[in-house]
Amino acid sequence: MTPSREADAVRQFREHRSEDAFRLLYRAHTPYLWAFALRLCAGRSSEAEEALQEAWIRAAERLGRFGGESVLRTWLAGIVFNCCREQHRRRAGTAAAAAGEPSTWRSPESAFADERLDLERLDLERAVAALPEGQREILLLHHFQGFTHEEIARLTGIPSGTSKSRLFEARRTLRRRLSATPRSMGGTP
Amino acid sequence: MNRPDAPDDLAGLPRALDPPGDLEERVFTALRERRLVRRERPARALSRWGLAAACLLAALFGWTARGLVQAPVLGPIERPPGAQGTTAAGREYLLLLLEPLPLRTSRPLDSLIAEYRAWAEELVAQGRLVAAGRLESGGRYLPASGRSGAPGVAAASGFFVVRAAGLAEAERVAATCPHLRYGGEISVRELSETSPPPKS
């Protein structure tokens, strides 16, 4: 979606609450936000779906206040991040958590376990999913969403120095895990 | 076996993934329930266009197959007198109708349908129309191998195949389509001649 089309869709939504305009924004950004949410949730797709649905509801409630201080996708990613965190904390201690909902990248029945997903990518997804939550969040925010450490600090409430060190740890953990992962075996965290 | 070439820069992970197929409708159902979105102007105008185009294309497609079809909204589209057997010369071109932003028109639905209908009937009278069809929403998008992301083009909602002497003429035909006046876009592409499928 070009910037001018996006700006037009935002204006249409703000002025008329246009469903069609909002749907354009949804379709333009959801594939990226879905990838972000799914990885934040370590592959737990039902958790990611609920978080993403809530994120779009909040985006609709707040888009009138979006002042263009960042690009729209970055603003949306911040909402998705908070929703994923809240979703995870809501589920902690529930029956779903106790049952141990499988990660998308571990379940043999999942769409990601099909032949379209090459083994190298599957190992990468699993390695990211297996990272400690704090490291995974920083890695995804910084690497996939382009947040600076200062922006991460504002979003998460941690110091920017902590963000930098967690990113360093995340990369080191990934490198170690992937180096130790036999190809096609899936590996273990 | 260890993997000495294990990447550490995550370059192998796509930045976008296909969301679950039913997620969009669940999101928009929730948005409507909370009255956060509205299907009014200009969204209502887009629905008008969608209905008009759907009826028009369905009717036209039926016409090309059977000669005459009773369309529930457009009424019968008859082959104009003297047009029997008339076929324009030239090559065939695909006119792919791309989904517009919400329309900005206050024209009533009947008027929109009549405008599209008149345009289509003119194509028929000229012997230009080869086929027409409406594309259902949804479907799947497959990025190139090793790449990720959503489609970078607007969604297609329907098509016409018309005859024209050349690309310039096809473009002139497409330029007269009402679709363009209401914010839509049209991609005009020549259909290559293909060999018939091999007989089994």
Side-chain angles (χ1 to χ4, degrees):
Chain A
M1 176 178 267
T2 63
S4 62
R5 277 196 151 207
E6 180 175 280
D8 199 39
V10 169
R11 185 173 55 251
Q12 290 287 336
F13 178 74
R14 280 176 168 165
E15 292 176 4
H16 304 287
R17 285 278 165 188
S18 164
E19 177 174 325
D20 294 301
F22 201 73
R23 208 177 274 269
L24 286 174
L25 297 174
Y26 174 94
R27 288 174 180 171
H29 295 291
T30 289
Y32 300 91
L33 298 176
W34 168 246
F36 182 46
L38 188 60
R39 290 177 180 133
L40 276 175
C41 297
R44 294 183 294 272
S45 59
S46 62
E47 195 173 311
E49 285 181 46
E50 288 187 35
L52 191 55
Q53 177 171 321
E54 177 62 27
W56 276 112
I57 291 171
R58 290 188 192 179
E61 290 169 342
R62 301 174 188 178
L63 193 56
R65 299 197 295 272
F66 172 62
E69 58 278 1
S70 63
V71 297
L72 184 62
R73 185 169 296 162
T74 301
W75 181 76
L76 292 168
I79 298 176
V80 170
F81 176 82
N82 286 325
C83 290
C84 286
R85 262 195 169 180
E86 291 167 20
Q87 191 63 238
H88 181 67
R89 285 168 188 166
R90 254 201 301 274
R91 286 182 168 224
T94 63
E101 179 185 347
S103 163
T104 290
W105 296 298
R106 291 206 171 275
S107 166
E109 292 81 32
S110 78
F112 288 94
D114 67 18
E115 65 278 4
R116 291 182 298 167
L117 192 63
D118 63 77
L119 296 171
E120 186 168 313
R121 185 192 147 195
L122 193 58
D123 286 341
L124 266 172
E125 297 281 13
R126 286 169 172 165
V128 170
L131 286 172
E133 186 178 344
Q135 291 181 20
R136 186 170 67 252
E137 288 177 345
I138 305 307
L139 183 77
L140 293 172
L141 282 168
H142 184 77
H143 181 80
F144 284 100
Q145 301 302 325
F147 279 59
T148 64
H149 291 291
E150 289 66 35
E151 289 169 333
I152 291 172
R154 278 198 296 274
L155 181 65
T156 63
I158 63 172
S160 60
T162 304
S163 174
K164 290 174 187 172
S165 63
R166 283 190 189 174
L167 180 65
F168 176 80
E169 289 297 324
R171 289 188 180 280
R172 192 168 69 174
T173 306
L174 271 182
R175 208 176 301 126
R176 193 171 59 236
R177 285 212 174 108
L178 291 169
S179 297
T181 299
R183 190 179 175 87
S184 83
M185 293 296 289
T188 48
Chain B
M1 180 183 296
N2 289 347
R3 295 175 55 198
D5 62 339
D8 62 355
D9 61 355
L10 304 175
L13 288 186
R15 292 181 180 272
L17 295 170
D18 280 343
D22 59 345
L23 180 62
E24 181 171 334
E25 284 320 302
R26 279 190 278 128
V27 167
F28 279 84
T29 297
L31 291 172
R32 277 184 230 116
E33 286 172 354
R34 290 162 174 78
R35 300 184 190 277
L36 292 172
V37 294
R38 282 203 301 258
R39 283 176 161 174
E40 295 175 3
R41 354 177 237 127
R44 185 175 58 205
L46 179 60
S47 295
R48 289 176 180 170
W49 178 87
L51 175 61
C55 294
L56 173 68
L57 293 174
L60 287 171
F61 191 75
W63 180 87
T64 58
R66 297 191 295 273
L68 176 66
V69 66
Q70 181 73 39
V73 173
L74 295 179
I77 300 177
E78 298 181 3
R79 198 191 290 268
Q84 190 74 28
T86 299
T87 301
R91 308 174 75 90
E92 294 181 354
Y93 293 84
L94 174 71
L95 274 52
L96 188 64
L97 275 57
L98 301 174
E99 195 168 80
L101 285 171
L103 300 178
R104 295 180 184 82
T105 178
S106 56
R107 292 184 62 185
L109 178 60
D110 287 349
S111 173
L112 282 174
I113 292 175
E115 186 178 4
Y116 277 89
R117 188 186 160 86
W119 182 75
E121 287 179 342
E122 182 57 29
L123 290 183
V124 170
Q126 295 171 6
R128 289 191 183 280
L129 188 63
V130 176
R134 180 173 68 95
L135 300 177
E136 295 291 341
S137 61
R140 291 291 183 186
Y141 170 74
L142 302 176
S145 296
R147 298 181 67 181
S148 63
V153 297
S157 54
F159 67 93
F160 292 88
V161 178
V162 301
R163 287 193 188 85
L167 182 60
E169 185 175 283
E171 184 182 3
R172 284 195 292 275
V173 171
T176 63
C177 180
H179 192 67
L180 297 175
R181 286 196 284 283
Y182 302 115
E185 298 173 352
I186 300 178
S187 174
V188 182
R189 302 288 296 271
E190 181 176 356
L191 291 176
S192 297
E193 293 181 7
T194 56
S195 303
K199 294 183 180 170
S200 57

